[in-house]
Amino acid sequence: MMLLAVLSGFLLALAVPALHRVAGRHIGWVLALLPALLTAYFASLIPTISGGENLLIQNQWMPGLGVSLDFMVDGLSLVFALLISGIGTFILIYAGSYLKGHKDLARFYVIMLSFMASMLGLVLSDNLITFFVFWELTSITSYMLIGFNHEDAEARKCALQGLFVTAGGGLVLMAGLILLIFITGSYSFSEILASDLAIHEHGYYTAAAVCVLIGAFTKSAQVPFHFWLPNAMAAPTPVSAYLHSATMVKAGVYLLARLNSSMDGDALWSYSLMFFGAATMLTGAYLAFSSTGIKKVLAYSTVMALGTLTMLIGVGTEKAIIAFVCVLVAHSLYKGALFMLAGALDHETGTKDITKMGGLWHSMPRTAIITGLAALSLAGLPPLFGFVAKELMFESVLNSPSWSWGLLAAAVASSILVVAVAGLVFLKPFFGPARTTPKQPHDAPFAMLIGPAVLTLLALIFGVAPFLPATFVLDAAVSSVYGSGVQTALALWHGVNIPLILSGVSLLAGSLLFIAWQGLHPTLHAVNTAGSRVGPEAGYFRFMLGITQIASWQTRVLQNGVLGVYLLILVLVTFGLTGYTLLTRHGFQLDFDFSNGYFYEFGIALLIVAATVFASVTRSRLGSVASVGVLGFGVALIFIHFSAPDLGITQLLVETLTVILLVLVLFKLPPFVNLSSPWERYRDLTVAVFAGAIMTLIMLAALDIQYFDSISSYYIENSYGLAFGKNIVNVILVDFRQLDTLGEIFVLGLAAMGVYSMVKLRAEDQHKS
Amino acid sequence: METMMAYVIGLLFTASIYMMLRRSIVKLVIGLIILSNAANLLIFVVAGLTRGAPPLILEGASEIAGTVADPLPQALILTAIVIAFSVLAFAVVLIRRAYEVVGTDDLDKMKDTDT
Amino acid sequence: MKTNTLILHTAALAIMPLQLMFSIFLLLRGHDEPGGGFIGGLVAASAFVLYAFAFGAESTRKLLRISPRDILAAGLLFGLASTIPALWSGQAMLTAQWWEVPLPGEGYLKLSTVLIFDIGVYLAVLGTLMTFVISLMESEE
């Protein structure tokens, strides 16, 4: 059941093109049934999970490699699964209306459903390897979603940037996960979390922690990797609403929270989380305040929220984890809603720039009310859930075991900024003097408002009655992050205390800041332009440019187009290194003991030598080809004489065909001429003699010593018993090593196709001319 | 005999690398052929040479009596011979095609003609 | 390319059927004695090459009836198909399967996925070589 739940998104994605033809413009509603069902399914697990139980569902995948499709449901993953499928439902409905009539609507839904399924797999996986597979799947599918408008060069560039940053971080994460597997000896999250092993006392701990942190930070857009997130706004709005509220960017935070209970207690882990979290929070809040595009504003405020979440995990007290879960849920609700509303504004007015909107209250009343409520939650004002979350955040920062004053200052500063940001999002477009927008504005259609409305309503209910979500899932989620049972006891009203006073201060200061925004804006803009030249994004571009420059430099040096130079480099490096190893490990040993050979064997050897020398020195093509033929027959004689009849026959037949081939083709080419200068010839001869000498020495050494037992005896003994064949060579080819032979006949096929297409191309060229 | 063959194979490698370093494209082909023979012989000889005992189970018997030649390198070489031939065919056709397009058989002159 | 030598013509006509029969003989006995798909395929290919030198690429193509590339593709398919039957009997892919079909009178016919695979190799080698030779010869004409 769980396996089906996770994979159903992929399965449905396959059916989308067909469904699209049947359902037409109602496709969004039809497809939304799946996440709705999934939400119901996950909701049905709530009683079990809140009872303190964890579900572990095991499915075999590649048992030999320790990879399995095991799923674990605990409080944390259940909260995530509910958010992913719940918000996903509304996003799918919304997208049907937002992208109505788009020519690639079916493609959009295919990727979107795959993304949703990958995300569910990510939060539910118990196996570290499977987790990583899903993690990378989200990177790839989100790349395709961000670059959905692939005809737009800017969108492609932004999508690629997101992919480079997250997939690059993914590689580092993989190293971190493998180190974790080394440390704990287990592939399973649940076993790692359940073990009493003190992970941070292990020698690999620092490396593992740093790798996991980098992986999570890139995914969750922490400073200094935050720049990809706002650029990802090139995506259509439903994508932004989904990726940046509950899913993609939360994956990193999820990983941090998942591992927190076994990684905490270590200074490196908590201090880096607190430091980078607080820095991200401030940066995000400031950049949100200084932007004008409504999606950019929301994107940077997402960066801020992600920073807050990271910081709270870093603080790590019981209170902080409660705050973490509340901020997580509150943010998913209001950010999902706000993004969808921003899309509705953009859709109805034709602009994303908030300085160009005003007085929309009259024409879009319903949109305005919902935006207002969601913005209140963003600003952290009662009676919404955002308020509960923010109060808890203040309180846990106040009681933080370390850095409490620094974190508090950052928290207050960013909440002042975010109050002003909420004003920008709500007051700026809907109030003030009406402005003319590119399109005549009117309220967004039902399909675009239902999602925001439901999410905001939830935020309101959770705000007024915070014990409701708490008893259902939040307690369990907090317990799984904190590592032991916790009762949260949330309430909207705590009486007059320091957090409340701080909230009041931020509301006041934020309002003043909002009023001053008009005046401040040109200055902020100038500062940001100057800052972008030295910021991390500039670093990213310099890095990418550097890669291409180094690539073209080394191509010029190593691949200058002269085949001879490539070969010289290859030969010198290969034989130089092998020769060095041979001489240092084995020493220089020559052997001239030819006594165990018969005279006719020396005759064959002499024939081979003579043919080779003649083929190399002759001035005549025909002579050269003929003597190469003689060489081949000499080799065939060796095979036959030394007990390899199959080889002998094959060699004879191939030698014949080689001569035919050369006759067919080679004589269309000009005759031999000496092109090289004598100096070049002596140089090449020296290199060739060096290589040949090394080969002889290696062979003499190999004949002298044997490091391992031959594995041939297995084949000899079992050829008849297991494989019913008496020609052992053939049995190896078609039975024991059948897969290798299968690969080899495919190589044959490729060569044939290559020859065929080259000949055909030539015929077509001639036909044209 | 193995010792003797070590020197013969060394010479084959020398000849093939020298030929492959020549600028004339036809010599490159000759070098390739010698190289594949050299490699096959190398694998064959390193496993040890056995006279008159092919790796076959005799009629009526169900297992090998006494020592036989090592079958594993033989299986490797058998496919190597066929593959080397088809790769050679590919290379030869490619070379002729390049010669037709570029109009020279001098490898040093082929580098600037991207067309 | 086509040669008008009487000797070559007669020789090709006389030798080719023998060569083809010999190639199948080599293929079938390959599991127990020297031979097998690679060698059989090479012998069969040389038979057709001889014919092609005597009568030209066009008539060889007609004689083959099937395009060399299709022979190659069939060979690869046989090779792939031989890996599947093991799955039906619940074994790992590529495990060889043997069936003994009783013949009228005495004796059994040994059938196996190994034989199917060897036939695949035979066809792949034959198809590859014929693709080389026929397309090269046709490009000369």
Side-chain angles (χ1 to χ4, degrees):
Chain A
M1 185 63 193
M2 181 60 72
L3 184 66
L4 183 69
V6 172
L7 299 182
S8 58
F10 294 119
L11 298 177
L12 186 63
L14 289 176
V16 164
L19 274 176
H20 185 236
R21 244 165 270 139
V22 181
R25 61 198 180 84
H26 300 298
I27 177 90
W29 292 94
V30 175
L31 293 178
L33 282 175
L34 175 73
L37 281 174
L38 288 175
T39 318
Y41 168 66
F42 289 123
S44 74
L45 298 175
I46 289 178
T48 325
I49 302 301
S50 60
E53 246 182 276
N54 289 351
L55 290 178
L56 191 64
I57 299 107
Q58 289 175 315
N59 300 289
Q60 290 288 333
W61 188 10
M62 289 178 273
L65 299 173
V67 181
S68 60
L69 277 171
D70 291 354
F71 298 109
M72 176 182 56
V73 190
D74 65 351
L76 181 69
S77 48
L78 187 62
V79 167
F80 267 97
L82 281 169
L83 288 172
I84 292 163
S85 50
I87 297 183
T89 312
F90 297 116
I91 297 284
L92 291 183
I93 297 173
Y94 177 87
S97 176
Y98 184 86
L99 292 171
K100 190 167 63 192
H102 195 288
K103 64 179 166 55
D104 290 328
L105 189 61
R107 180 162 65 90
F108 174 82
Y109 277 121
V110 170
I111 311 171
M112 200 68 172
L113 283 167
S114 319
F115 174 77
M116 190 186 79
S118 329
M119 205 58 218
L120 279 176
L122 191 157
V123 296
L124 291 167
S125 287
D126 182 49
N127 185 286
L128 269 77
I129 305 291
T130 318
F131 168 84
F132 180 74
V133 169
F134 282 118
W135 176 285
E136 291 292 273
L137 272 176
T138 62
S139 290
I140 295 165
T141 43
S142 70
Y143 162 70
M144 291 191 276
L145 285 171
I146 297 169
F148 179 67
N149 294 318
H150 57 87
E151 281 148 18
D152 176 6
E154 188 62 24
R156 287 202 304 269
K157 207 177 94 191
C158 294
L160 208 56
Q161 189 184 50
L163 182 71
F164 278 141
V165 175
T166 53
L171 283 178
V172 180
L173 172 68
M174 182 171 73
L177 292 178
I178 290 172
L179 285 173
L180 267 183
I181 293 171
F182 270 134
I183 296 174
T184 60
S186 164
Y187 285 86
S188 143
F189 275 123
S190 48
E191 281 171 27
I192 292 177
L193 295 177
S195 71
D196 299 330
L197 211 64
I199 293 178
H200 40 81
E201 279 166 15
H202 195 278
Y204 285 160
Y205 170 76
T206 313
V210 169
C211 290
V212 168
L213 286 174
I214 291 178
F217 283 2
T218 50
K219 194 81 162 186
S220 279
Q222 301 292 306
V223 167
F225 305 113
H226 63 281
F227 54 87
W228 74 264
L229 194 149
N231 287 339
M233 291 299 133
T237 304
V239 175
S240 317
Y242 199 39
L243 260 61
H244 300 136
S245 60
T247 56
M248 170 83 173
V249 295
K250 292 267 172 71
V253 177
Y254 166 79
L255 177 67
L256 296 175
R258 169 57 71 221
L259 289 174
N260 183 53
S261 64
S262 40
M263 304 283 262
D264 66 349
D266 177 73
L268 171 74
W269 180 259
S270 15
Y271 282 121
S272 32
L273 288 182
M274 283 195 282
F275 175 76
F276 286 105
T280 309
M281 177 172 74
L282 260 182
T283 317
Y286 166 73
L287 289 171
F289 178 66
S290 61
S291 305
T292 55
I294 188 156
K295 285 181 76 179
K296 287 256 169 175
V297 172
L298 292 174
Y300 280 121
S301 75
T302 302
V303 173
M304 185 214 103
L306 293 168
T308 313
L309 289 168
T310 309
M311 179 187 77
L312 286 171
I313 300 177
V315 172
T317 56
E318 189 180 318
K319 214 43 171 198
I321 301 301
I322 299 175
F324 163 79
V325 175
C326 290
V327 173
L328 174 81
V329 173
H331 174 256
S332 300
L333 294 177
Y334 71 70
K335 194 52 62 67
L338 281 175
F339 264 119
M340 288 195 254
L341 293 161
L345 274 177
D346 170 24
H347 199 255
E348 301 307 325
T349 62
T351 179
K352 288 190 178 81
D353 191 342
I354 42 175
T355 57
K356 298 202 174 99
M357 298 182 218
L360 292 168
W361 170 259
H362 299 288
S363 43
M364 307 175 74
R366 282 192 290 267
T367 317
I369 294 170
I370 304 170
T371 315
L373 282 173
L376 281 183
S377 195
L378 167 68
L381 295 180
L384 286 116
F385 195 50
F387 174 69
V388 177
K390 196 182 64 173
E391 296 278 280
L392 281 167
M393 192 261 284
F394 279 148
E395 198 184 332
S396 52
V397 168
L398 263 175
N399 298 324
S400 166
S402 44
W403 291 0
S404 109
W405 288 105
L407 295 180
L408 188 69
V412 172
S414 52
S415 75
I416 293 173
L417 285 164
V418 92
V419 168
V421 166
L424 286 180
V425 172
F426 174 51
L427 300 175
K428 203 88 197 157
F430 290 104
F431 296 93
R435 289 163 188 270
T436 44
T437 49
K439 272 159 87 176
Q440 181 63 37
H442 51 79
D443 245 331
F446 177 65
M448 289 174 74
L449 287 183
I450 175 159
V454 172
L455 295 180
T456 315
L457 194 66
L458 278 176
L460 187 61
I461 296 172
F462 289 1
V464 176
F467 53 87
L468 277 179
T471 33
F472 281 131
V473 282
L474 298 192
D475 283 359
V478 171
S479 307
S480 48
V481 182
Y482 190 62
S484 56
V486 174
Q487 289 292 319
T488 52
L490 300 182
L492 184 64
W493 180 252
H494 287 280
V496 180
N497 53 11
I498 302 179
L500 189 72
I501 297 169
L502 291 174
S503 289
V505 170
S506 21
L507 177 63
L508 200 69
S511 311
L512 290 174
L513 209 54
F514 170 68
I515 296 166
W517 186 80
Q518 203 71 42
L520 282 174
H521 182 246
T523 331
L524 293 177
H525 188 71
V527 171
N528 286 355
T529 320
S532 67
R533 267 186 229 123
V534 290
E537 187 170 13
Y540 165 84
F541 284 124
R542 230 169 285 141
F543 179 70
M544 297 311 282
L545 192 69
I547 288 179
T548 34
Q549 279 170 347
I550 290 174
S552 59
W553 168 79
Q554 70 103 22
T555 308
R556 272 197 310 278
V557 172
L558 293 179
Q559 306 191 358
N560 52 2
V562 182
L563 193 63
V565 175
Y566 297 3
L567 250 176
L568 271 180
I569 294 173
L570 279 177
V571 169
L572 283 176
V573 170
T574 316
F575 288 94
L577 290 178
T578 349
Y580 173 77
T581 317
L582 181 77
L583 292 182
T584 48
R585 297 285 168 84
H586 185 75
F588 183 85
Q589 272 177 337
L590 279 181
D591 183 0
F592 290 102
D593 177 19
F594 300 147
S595 57
N596 64 347
Y598 296 103
F599 71 96
Y600 51 86
E601 292 169 357
F602 290 117
I604 303 174
L606 201 64
L607 178 74
I608 293 177
V609 169
T612 313
V613 172
F614 186 74
S616 316
V617 297
T618 178
R619 293 275 177 105
S620 126
R621 275 179 310 175
L622 188 63
S624 193
V625 168
S627 46
V628 161
V630 173
L631 161 63
F633 288 114
V635 172
L637 282 179
I638 294 270
F639 287 152
I640 291 171
H641 182 68
F642 290 103
S643 317
D646 290 282
L647 291 191
I649 303 171
T650 315
Q651 174 79 16
L652 281 174
L653 288 164
V654 163
E655 218 43 64
T656 319
L657 289 166
T658 306
V659 172
I660 290 173
L661 177 85
L662 294 180
V663 169
L664 272 176
V665 178
L666 222 49
F667 289 95
K668 305 292 169 189
L669 296 174
F672 281 6
V673 261
N674 264 330
L675 293 164
S676 324
S677 62
W679 182 83
E680 283 172 321
R681 259 177 279 158
Y682 285 121
R683 178 197 64 189
D684 295 347
L685 190 63
T686 319
V687 171
V689 167
F690 165 69
I694 295 287
M695 282 321 286
T696 302
L697 287 174
I698 289 176
M699 282 202 62
L700 289 174
L703 291 169
D704 194 31
I705 40 176
Q706 189 171 16
Y707 283 116
F708 307 103
D709 285 336
S710 165
I711 55 168
S712 304
S713 53
Y714 172 82
Y715 298 121
I716 296 176
E717 279 156 24
N718 292 302
S719 170
Y720 195 72
L722 286 180
F724 314 112
K726 293 184 173 175
N727 179 357
I728 304 173
V729 175
N730 187 265
V731 169
I732 293 176
L733 280 175
V734 297
D735 198 335
F736 287 129
R737 308 296 312 169
Q738 188 186 359
L739 188 61
D740 300 351
T741 314
L742 188 64
E744 277 148 14
I745 59 176
F746 272 88
V747 175
L748 289 185
L750 278 177
M753 288 343 282
V755 168
Y756 178 77
S757 47
M758 271 191 290
V759 171
K760 272 283 159 243
L761 277 175
R762 176 171 170 275
E764 274 166 24
D765 279 1
Q766 284 176 342
H767 196 68
K768 264 181 236 156
S769 59
Chain B
M1 191 59 198
E2 286 92 341
T3 326
M4 179 78 216
M5 287 311 289
Y7 293 96
V8 173
I9 290 165
L11 177 89
L12 285 179
F13 272 101
T14 305
S16 72
I17 288 172
Y18 178 76
M19 287 303 269
M20 285 164 75
L21 284 167
R22 308 273 45 77
R23 279 161 64 183
S24 163
I25 209 164
V26 184
K27 290 188 180 172
L28 175 73
V29 175
I30 303 286
L32 269 178
I33 300 174
I34 301 179
L35 186 68
S36 66
N37 276 316
N40 289 342
L41 268 186
L42 171 77
I43 301 172
F44 190 68
V45 176
V46 159
L49 296 172
T50 314
R51 293 183 190 88
L56 298 169
I57 298 169
L58 296 177
E59 188 70 47
S62 66
E63 56 186 81
I64 292 285
T67 38
V68 288
D70 193 342
L72 194 59
Q74 294 193 17
L76 286 176
I77 298 168
L78 199 137
T79 49
I81 295 173
V82 181
I83 297 243
F85 173 70
S86 57
V87 170
L88 178 76
F90 182 79
V92 164
V93 174
L94 181 69
I95 281 169
R96 195 184 57 172
R97 177 103 184 108
Y99 170 65
E100 280 170 359
V101 173
V102 182
T104 175
D105 71 326
D106 182 352
L107 284 168
D108 282 11
K109 286 188 187 143
M110 280 194 179
K111 65 169 191 165
D112 300 324
T113 31
D114 281 336
T115 45
Chain C
M1 192 182 290
K2 198 171 161 181
T3 348
N4 289 318
T5 335
L6 186 65
I7 299 173
L8 189 58
H9 279 203
T10 324
L13 283 176
I15 293 174
M16 203 192 71
L18 288 176
Q19 268 183 307
L20 285 179
M21 267 157 50
F22 184 57
S23 80
I24 290 173
F25 168 71
L26 281 173
L27 164 70
L28 292 180
R29 74 163 201 172
H31 212 52
D32 290 332
E33 281 165 86
F38 280 105
I39 295 175
L42 285 168
V43 171
S46 359
F48 285 110
V49 169
L50 181 65
Y51 187 87
F53 270 98
F55 298 101
E58 194 51 46
S59 24
T60 317
R61 200 183 266 286
K62 277 197 193 108
L63 182 76
L64 276 172
R65 286 164 198 274
I66 314 164
S67 138
R69 280 171 299 136
D70 292 347
I71 298 178
L72 165 62
L76 297 182
L77 274 180
F78 268 86
L80 275 181
S82 73
T83 66
I84 307 292
L87 293 177
W88 293 329
S89 47
Q91 283 164 299
M93 200 169 157
L94 290 158
T95 313
Q97 305 293 309
W98 293 81
W99 304 280
E100 290 199 337
V101 183
L103 290 177
E106 276 182 56
Y108 288 90
L109 182 61
K110 263 195 341 185
L111 283 181
S112 62
T113 54
V114 168
L115 183 64
I116 301 176
F117 185 75
D118 228 359
I119 293 172
V121 173
Y122 176 94
L123 292 176
V125 171
L126 175 63
T128 303
L129 295 177
M130 292 323 289
T131 310
F132 287 160
V133 173
I134 290 191
S135 49
L136 281 175
M137 285 178 82
E138 278 180 347
S139 77
E140 301 304 323
E141 282 162 7

